[in-house]
Amino acid sequence: MIKRIAIFVMSLALAVLAVAQEDIEHTNILMLKAGYGSHLDTYLSPVDYSGMHIGLSNEWWQPFRQDTRLGRMGLLDHWGHVGRLDITALSVANAAHSNSYLGARVAAGWGAFYCWKWHDDRLKTILGPYLESDVAVRYITDNVNKPVSLDIAVNAMVMAGLSWSFYGRKTSYRLAYLLRTNLVGFDYLPEYWQSYYELSQGVHGIARCSGPWNHRTVKHGLSVDMQFLHSTWRVGVEHSYNDYGTDNMHFVSNQISLVLGCIWQYKMNAHSRL
């Protein structure tokens, strides 16, 4: 299962690279984030845990190629695509501080969107599909039989956003809101009575179709981009909520992060040489 997820992520990265071409402007946003959240993993412990998390995210935006058959037919006008990679680490403890666990989550996704523009392109809205894979691992310090929890999800999501640009004398600013929420997919969870040792010996967990009825995911954020003479920066806040499980197990992750990012725009030149 993990090998399939790794192959999917590699294929996603190759697909993004394949659509790059000369004279298309790319926007890349590298972000550091830190925040606080509450977590519940009843496979490891029946009580809530809370604590800090830190992460690194990279997001890239660009229009679709226009030299393809669909582009020449005009069917790709106002269409673009976005890719994103999130790596998050957390350290949380229960209310009594008698136990704690460490966790890591990696999420990679790609989506396409249609963009509507008004008021001299200052007001923009986007809407489109988004596909995301998500792998989470948690290690608890005081649980002999079940020290490790692992779950995997692949979600087809809907993505929507709104942005407004305004300008100063030598600067420009953009206020933006972006939302992603799942529609359908699949996830993999450990069996409730399955120990870590049985998992390592090949005992199967639970693989199932997932959606808002048993796996709810909402990721959204509000940001302000500030373009100065020699650099462009992003500050913002992001909220990530995951709620999923079975009759015997319940997993909840509710995180709020402050974001600081650097933005740069560039064009590919396929004819340049080292």
Side-chain angles (χ1 to χ4, degrees):
M1 182 68 67
I2 296 178
K3 183 188 236 182
R4 293 180 181 177
I5 296 298
I7 293 174
F8 166 76
V9 173
M10 292 178 63
S11 301
L12 183 66
L14 291 175
V16 172
L17 292 175
V19 297
Q21 71 157 14
E22 187 177 2
D23 295 330
I24 283 185
E25 186 172 74
H26 308 256
T27 299
N28 195 88
I29 310 171
L30 181 64
M31 294 169 283
L32 292 172
K33 56 185 181 181
Y36 188 85
S38 62
H39 305 267
L40 176 66
D41 183 338
T42 57
Y43 178 80
L44 299 179
S45 173
V47 300
D48 290 312
Y49 283 66
S50 59
M52 300 295 297
H53 62 267
I54 59 173
L56 180 68
S57 301
N58 193 62
E59 193 174 272
W60 54 96
W61 300 74
Q62 64 194 68
F64 277 105
R65 293 173 53 176
Q66 296 297 320
D67 60 350
T68 62
R69 182 178 179 182
L70 293 178
R72 289 190 294 268
M73 294 172 62
L75 298 179
L76 296 180
D77 294 344
H78 304 288
W79 280 93
H81 58 99
V82 56
R84 178 167 174 136
L85 174 66
D86 290 283
I87 302 174
T88 306
L90 59 91
S91 176
V92 296
N94 59 18
H97 291 278
S98 60
N99 203 354
S100 63
Y101 69 73
L102 303 174
R105 182 181 293 271
V106 178
W110 179 87
F113 60 88
Y114 188 88
C115 181
W116 292 268
K117 303 178 182 180
W118 296 279
H119 300 291
D120 298 326
D121 294 347
R122 291 190 297 165
L123 178 62
K124 298 178 182 179
T125 60
I126 65 170
L127 180 66
Y130 188 85
L131 181 65
E132 182 181 74
S133 62
D134 193 324
V135 180
V137 181
R138 292 169 290 274
Y139 171 74
I140 196 166
T141 57
D142 188 12
N143 189 328
V144 176
N145 291 323
K146 299 178 180 179
V148 176
S149 174
L150 168 68
D151 53 88
I152 302 169
V154 175
N155 289 311
M157 311 177 79
V158 62
M159 173 178 59
L162 175 68
S163 67
W164 171 259
S165 299
F166 49 99
Y167 313 115
R169 182 177 180 183
K170 294 184 178 180
T171 59
S172 62
Y173 306 91
R174 178 174 58 205
L175 178 65
Y177 173 78
L178 184 65
L179 168 70
R180 299 188 303 274
T181 186
N182 66 314
L183 297 176
V184 69
F186 82 89
D187 59 14
Y188 170 85
L189 306 172
E191 290 279 7
Y192 179 70
W193 296 111
Q194 178 185 73
S195 72
Y196 169 71
Y197 307 103
E198 292 172 331
L199 181 64
S200 65
Q201 294 171 5
V203 177
H204 297 296
I206 304 170
R208 61 180 190 173
C209 178
S210 63
W213 58 91
N214 61 8
H215 191 134
R216 291 173 292 279
T217 297
V218 178
K219 298 181 178 181
H220 58 138
L222 181 66
S223 62
V224 177
D225 300 333
M226 301 169 289
Q227 184 180 48
F228 304 109
L229 289 178
H230 302 292
S231 62
T232 304
W233 297 90
R234 165 171 290 186
V235 294
V237 59
E238 291 185 348
H239 175 227
S240 175
Y241 178 76
N242 286 278
D243 186 342
Y244 52 97
T246 65
D247 292 338
N248 295 322
M249 294 182 299
H250 194 197
F251 303 86
V252 180
S253 174
N254 191 14
Q255 298 182 159
I256 296 179
S257 307
L258 296 178
V259 176
L260 175 63
C262 182
I263 304 174
W264 63 92
Q265 294 176 318
Y266 61 94
K267 291 184 178 182
M268 305 294 292
N269 186 351
H271 303 293
S272 64
R273 306 184 66 177
L274 297 176

